[in-house]
Every structure is written in C-alpha cells, then in structure tokens.
Amino acid sequence: MSVENNKRIVQKFYDAGNRGDMDTCFGLISDDIIWTNIGTTSLSGTFTGKQEMMEKLIGPLLGQLKQGIHTTLQRLVAEGDYVVAHTSGSAETIEGQPYNNTYVWIIRLRDGKFAELTEFMDTELANATFK
C-alpha cells in the first residue's frame, strides 16, 4: 500500500476510537499483531496476537477508565510500511483522576492492518495512574 494510504488507515483508527467505534479499531488490527509497550508499567510488555492484546492490555486498561482515551493527533510520519504517530491522550480513571499522556506509536502495516506496534509514553505517569 502507498504511504498516504497507510497514513489514512492510522487516521481512521484514531477517528474511530474517538467516536467509541471499537469494532472499526479492532478490525484494523491483524489477528497476529505484535504490540509492545515500552517500559516497566503494569501495562508494559509484548502482546502477541489480538486475543492476548485484548486480555492483557486493552481489557485491564479500559477497566480502569471511565470512557477510554480521547486522542489528539499531533502528526503522522510515514515511510514504506511504517507510520509513526505522535499523539496526546486524555482520559479519566473510574476514581476521577485525570490521565493525560503523550504517545509515540511506531506502526508497521500489512494488508491494510496494524501488524506490529511499538508504543512509547510517559511511563512514570502511567505507573502513578494505573495498578
């Protein structure tokens, strides 16, 4: 796929997430994704496959938030099969604590879906917010 098409797919993912359209988001993720969160937080590690990602990352994360994370896209940079997304996210925990973080995702796309993703964020903030 073209670089511009890959950027459109990533934009579509963020737009769907901000609308709460998780079916579209998860439809853009390959069943065999390799998702890595850098750091030593409770949500860090490498998750292999969509099912493991859902059970060990997405479920525990969303279970601690009122409505998920609203993402503001700062920029997309793409080359070949890779798109780098620089974003800021805002959310509120179920206890009412604000969670506002900055992220960089390095995404490798294959056949129009996320095949690999490496996420960087303020891990100290994540550790202070999530159990």
Side-chain angles (χ1 to χ4, degrees), residues 6-128:
N6 286 341
K7 288 170 70 174
R8 279 191 289 276
I9 291 165
V10 173
Q11 179 74 56
K12 181 178 178 181
F13 177 90
Y14 286 116
D15 290 346
N18 285 339
R19 288 191 313 271
D21 180 0
M22 301 315 287
D23 288 339
T24 295
C25 286
F26 297 131
L28 293 171
I29 297 173
S30 296
D31 289 339
D32 62 349
I33 189 164
I34 299 171
W35 185 302
T36 301
N37 279 0
I38 300 300
T40 56
T41 73
S42 62
L43 301 171
S44 294
T46 297
F47 309 95
T48 303
K50 193 186 297 188
Q51 183 172 344
E52 181 179 46
M53 180 201 69
M54 296 295 293
E55 291 172 1
K56 295 183 177 178
L57 174 61
I58 303 301
L61 173 64
L62 294 181
Q64 296 181 65
L65 297 174
K66 285 186 178 178
Q67 296 184 8
I69 299 174
H70 183 274
T71 302
T72 301
L73 185 59
Q74 305 298 326
R75 73 185 44 85
L76 290 176
V77 179
E79 179 178 290
D81 294 336
Y82 288 88
V83 176
V84 177
H86 172 209
T87 66
S88 57
S90 60
E92 185 177 356
T93 67
I94 56 175
E95 293 87 17
Q97 179 181 354
Y99 176 69
N100 303 306
N101 210 331
T102 300
Y103 305 89
V104 172
W105 284 8
I106 302 171
I107 306 156
R108 184 175 66 82
L109 291 112
R110 180 185 69 230
D111 300 326
K113 294 186 177 189
F114 291 29
E116 292 179 33
L117 188 147
T118 303
E119 178 177 329
F120 298 86
M121 69 177 135
D122 179 346
T123 55
E124 187 171 337
L125 176 60
N127 274 328

